[in-house]
């Protein structure tokens, strides 16, 4: 079985590139923090949603950040998933027994905050529940840390903005891709004016048929749950663009559809009869066997009798309502235009970004997995795939940032090394989430994100979904998100 780090957020995503044990982050990548004052009380956290995504935060609060925060409660309808993290927490505290933290059903959130004196609720639940859980947590008197996306629709944005305005509560968005050095280095190049004023960008993201197919196996496959990949996945990407160019989206047009996965395309017809689920299926490269990953087995296979949720459904089954091929045009307030594309069935995984400016151009290429390999028709496990990718001379795993000014040769910009997953950004993000009041210096790149950044990111996806429905361009202001995306009015919220 493949073992996964406590901060691994997606076992089907490409594993981090192999580095030496002596490798260290580049200078300036990890901010400096003061130690907590002696006797300072730890902040009290509850986790709302104990699926796989919660693991990064549980690992952080039982490990590196246990001196500034403590877990005090779980909120989830599935007791088996709570059992998994409660046992993990007990072991992290040095015992053989579970931690036996207080546990609550979702309808008891307010009681949980009151009874356990919760300071902050960490929301890692199904996307469609984010807005309600954020709003209820704020009105109960707790702050919020929330996984992307902030919410899935305009009504959710309005619910959150009203709650923030009424309570003055704090909402932290965990946009970990901002902290990846390859992305923050591009931000620095743009902010320094190296390529002048940004006029246009092209952003292409490709998911391979291991990682991409996973969105079509689980609850994300239903648009009502996730908002589709334009909200669930691409909110990361739209946030990066908003942050890179320090601007807000004004108008959005989108086109796309379900063209590879699902039961109606040529691929499904060519594959023939399909298994209902992946666990126990042999020789099928599109199936996921939950028994191959001990965490997935515990969180889902051994928990499904409580709620009937199947984590390993066939990506070519009926009922999928999200798209796998998407193209988006975004006009920005200061005049730049973004062309964005997302493909969820590529033979390799990574992204390309091209930024055109009045003085030149910047190009970022990231290969997270160069190819996938089969053995007897079955997809090899991620560790074997990672080793084989190291020998791929045509598409090697890695990243490269090139800047070229007008009338000059192209130059490569050195990207410093990060720490943790998601391009070296996860561990740095967690420091800002749990220790931001201990920062010794302000972040010149402004990587920490709040709820307004979350709204700016989902605004593109929500508008794009509306454009898919109507076939028309959608002005973002027509969405009535509850708060202006820029200007003095937004600053008051």
């Amino acid at each position: 079985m493949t073992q996964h780090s406590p901060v691994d957020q997606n076992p089907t995503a490409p594993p981090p590139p192999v580095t030496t044990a002596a490798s260290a982050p580049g200078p300036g990548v990890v901010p400096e923090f003061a130690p907590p004052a002696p006797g300072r009380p730890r902040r009290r956290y509850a986790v709302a949603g104990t699926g796989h995504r919660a693991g990064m935060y549980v690992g952080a609060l039982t490990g590196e950040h246990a001196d500034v925060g403590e877990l005090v409660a779980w909120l989830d309808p599935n007791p088996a998933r709570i059992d998994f993290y409660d046992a993990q927490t007990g072991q992290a505290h040095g015992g053989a027994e579970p931690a036996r933290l207080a546990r609550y059903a979702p309808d008891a959130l307010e009681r949980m905050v009151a009874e356990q004196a919760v300071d902050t609720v960490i929301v890692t639940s199904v996307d469609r529940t984010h807005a309600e859980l954020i709003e209820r947590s704020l009105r109960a008197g707790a702050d919020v840390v929330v996984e992307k996306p902030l919410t899935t629709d305009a009504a959710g944005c309005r619910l959150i903005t009203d709650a923030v305005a009424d309570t003055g509560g704090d909402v932290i968005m965990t946009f970990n891709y901002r902290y990846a050095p390859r992305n923050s280095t591009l931000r620095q190049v743009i902010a320094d004016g190296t390529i002048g004023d940004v006029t246009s960008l092209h952003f292409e993201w490709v998911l391979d048929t291991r990682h991409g197919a996973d969105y079509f196996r689980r609850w994300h496959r239903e648009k009502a749950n996730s908002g589709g990949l334009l909200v669930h996945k691409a909110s990361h990407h739209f946030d990066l663009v908003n942050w890179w160019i320090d601007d807000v989206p004004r108008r959005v047009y989108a086109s796309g559809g379900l063209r590879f996965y699902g039961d109606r395309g040529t691929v499904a017809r060519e594959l023939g009869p399909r298994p209902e689920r992946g666990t126990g299926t042999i020789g099928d490269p599109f199936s996921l066997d939950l028994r191959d990953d001990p965490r997935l087995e515990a969180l889902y296979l051994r928990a499904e009798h409580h709620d009937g949720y199947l984590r390993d459904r066939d990506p070519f089954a009926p009922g999928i309502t999200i798209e796998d091929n998407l193209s988006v045009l975004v006009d920005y307030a200061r005049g730049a235009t973004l062309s964005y594309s997302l493909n969820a069935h590529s033979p390799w995984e990574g992204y390309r970004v091209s930024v055109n400016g009045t003085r030149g151009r910047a190009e970022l290429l990231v290969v997270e997995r160069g190819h996938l390999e089969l053995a007897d028709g079955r997809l090899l496990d991620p560790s074997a795939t990672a080793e084989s990718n190291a020998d791929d001379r045509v598409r090697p795993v890695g990243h490269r940032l090139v800047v070229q000014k007008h009338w000059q040769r192209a130059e490569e910009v050195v990207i410093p090394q990060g720490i943790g997953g998601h391009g070296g950004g996860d561990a740095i993000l967690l420091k800002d989430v749990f220790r931001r009041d201990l920062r010794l210096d302000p972040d010149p790149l402004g990587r920490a994100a709040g709820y307004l950044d979350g709204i700016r990111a989902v605004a593109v996806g929500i508008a794009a979904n509306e454009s898919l429905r109507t076939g028309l361009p959608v002005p973002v202001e027509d969405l009535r998100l509850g708060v202006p995306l820029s200007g003095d009015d937004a600053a008051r919220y």
Side-chain angles (χ1 to χ4, degrees):
M1 290 187 178
T2 303
Q3 298 297 321
H4 293 276
S5 161
V7 299
D8 170 37
Q9 293 196 65
N10 192 335
T12 63
V18 177
T19 57
T20 63
S23 62
V29 169
V30 182
E32 294 185 9
F33 296 84
R40 166 177 148 157
R42 294 187 293 170
R43 193 165 183 84
R44 297 172 65 82
Y45 291 88
V47 174
T50 54
H52 198 276
R53 184 68 62 176
M56 182 173 80
Y57 303 94
V58 174
L61 286 170
T62 56
E64 180 181 358
H65 303 290
D67 60 331
V68 294
E70 62 176 322
L71 289 166
V72 298
W74 313 109
L75 186 108
D76 198 289
N78 191 300
R81 286 198 280 274
I82 291 179
D83 288 344
F84 175 82
Y85 284 116
D86 199 66
Q88 187 181 83
T89 300
Q91 293 169 4
H93 291 161
E97 297 295 319
R100 295 189 173 87
L101 303 184
R103 54 179 67 195
Y104 297 83
D107 61 359
L109 183 149
E110 290 80 4
R111 182 162 59 86
M112 175 188 74
V113 171
E115 290 179 354
Q116 304 305 322
V118 173
D119 296 308
T120 301
V121 176
I122 300 173
V123 176
T124 52
S125 56
V126 174
D127 297 350
R128 63 175 166 77
T129 67
H130 285 191
E132 179 191 348
L133 292 175
I134 292 169
E135 190 254 358
R136 290 172 59 197
S137 297
L138 291 172
R139 296 193 185 282
D143 292 328
V144 175
V145 172
V146 58
E147 261 291 336
K148 61 84 187 167
L150 178 70
T151 182
T152 59
D153 56 25
C157 290
R158 293 190 290 270
L159 194 69
I160 293 167
T161 55
D162 286 347
V164 171
D166 292 345
T167 67
D170 186 36
V171 178
I172 296 176
M173 280 296 314
T174 56
F175 281 135
N176 47 8
Y177 272 117
R178 290 186 176 199
Y179 291 82
R182 59 205 184 199
N183 297 328
S184 56
T185 302
L186 177 57
R187 157 85 167 181
Q188 188 68 63
V189 165
I190 296 171
D192 288 346
T194 303
I195 60 171
D197 296 331
V198 174
T199 60
S200 63
L201 307 90
H202 177 66
F203 195 153
E204 177 190 19
W205 197 288
V206 292
L207 295 161
D208 63 29
T209 49
R210 178 176 175 85
H211 190 191
D214 210 36
Y215 295 101
F216 299 83
R217 297 186 184 109
R218 39 192 167 126
W219 55 260
H220 305 74
R221 73 209 306 248
E222 297 178 28
K223 208 163 193 176
N225 287 332
S226 65
L229 292 178
L230 283 171
V231 171
H232 174 80
K233 183 64 178 175
S235 63
H236 261 322
H237 314 153
F238 298 139
D239 173 69
L240 282 176
V241 175
N242 298 344
W243 176 66
W244 278 330
I245 67 175
D246 191 23
D247 205 352
V248 296
R250 182 177 63 86
R251 184 174 58 183
V252 179
Y253 174 76
S255 178
L258 182 64
R259 297 168 181 159
F260 185 86
Y261 301 107
D263 65 327
R264 298 185 179 181
T266 57
V267 178
R269 290 194 295 270
E270 291 172 355
L271 290 172
R274 301 291 303 157
E276 179 183 354
R277 62 184 307 180
T279 300
T281 299
I282 298 175
D284 178 54
F286 290 103
S287 291
L288 174 70
D289 194 322
L290 297 175
R291 298 171 302 180
D292 290 341
D293 184 301
R295 175 176 288 185
L296 292 184
E297 183 178 17
L299 288 174
Y300 300 109
L301 188 62
R302 287 192 258 133
E304 59 191 35
H305 64 282
H306 291 290
D307 54 19
Y309 172 59
L310 302 182
R311 170 64 177 78
D312 59 343
R313 296 183 67 183
D314 177 41
F316 298 97
I320 296 173
T321 56
I322 65 173
E323 302 82 12
D324 54 25
N325 281 258
L326 291 154
S327 298
V328 182
L329 284 175
V330 185
D331 293 333
Y332 276 82
R334 293 203 303 268
T337 300
L338 165 69
S339 58
Y340 171 84
S341 67
L342 173 65
N343 179 282
H345 56 88
S346 170
W348 69 280
E349 180 148 335
Y351 57 101
R352 304 175 189 267
V353 181
S354 302
V355 186
N356 298 301
T358 54
R359 296 178 183 171
R361 175 181 170 97
E363 299 171 350
L364 175 64
L365 170 63
V366 177
V367 177
E368 296 183 328
R369 186 154 54 201
H371 68 279
L372 295 167
E373 290 189 359
L374 297 176
D376 300 324
R378 186 183 179 93
L379 190 66
L380 296 178
D381 77 89
S383 60
T385 306
E387 292 171 4
S388 63
N389 269 268
D391 297 328
D392 192 332
R393 296 183 181 181
V394 176
R395 202 186 300 278
V397 170
H399 48 229
R400 190 181 191 207
L401 175 59
V402 173
V403 172
Q404 186 169 9
K405 297 182 180 180
H406 292 309
W407 307 292
Q408 294 184 21
R409 292 179 181 270
E411 296 182 356
E412 184 169 355
V413 179
V414 175
I415 298 174
Q417 185 167 308
I419 53 176
H422 282 95
D426 280 349
I428 309 171
L429 162 78
L430 292 169
K431 291 177 184 292
D432 250 0
V433 168
F434 296 117
R435 298 177 182 271
R436 59 179 179 162
D437 60 316
L438 298 174
R439 252 187 179 272
L440 294 178
D441 298 296
D443 184 357
L445 296 176
R447 288 173 291 184
Y451 90 99
L452 187 55
D453 299 294
I455 289 179
R456 289 167 175 158
V458 297
V460 181
I462 294 169
N465 278 332
E466 179 65 9
S467 180
L468 288 175
R469 188 183 70 82
T470 65
L472 300 172
V474 176
V476 172
E477 66 179 1
D478 287 359
L479 299 174
R480 296 183 296 112
L481 299 176
V483 61
L485 299 190
S486 65
D488 295 337
D489 289 339
R492 289 203 294 269
Y493 282 80

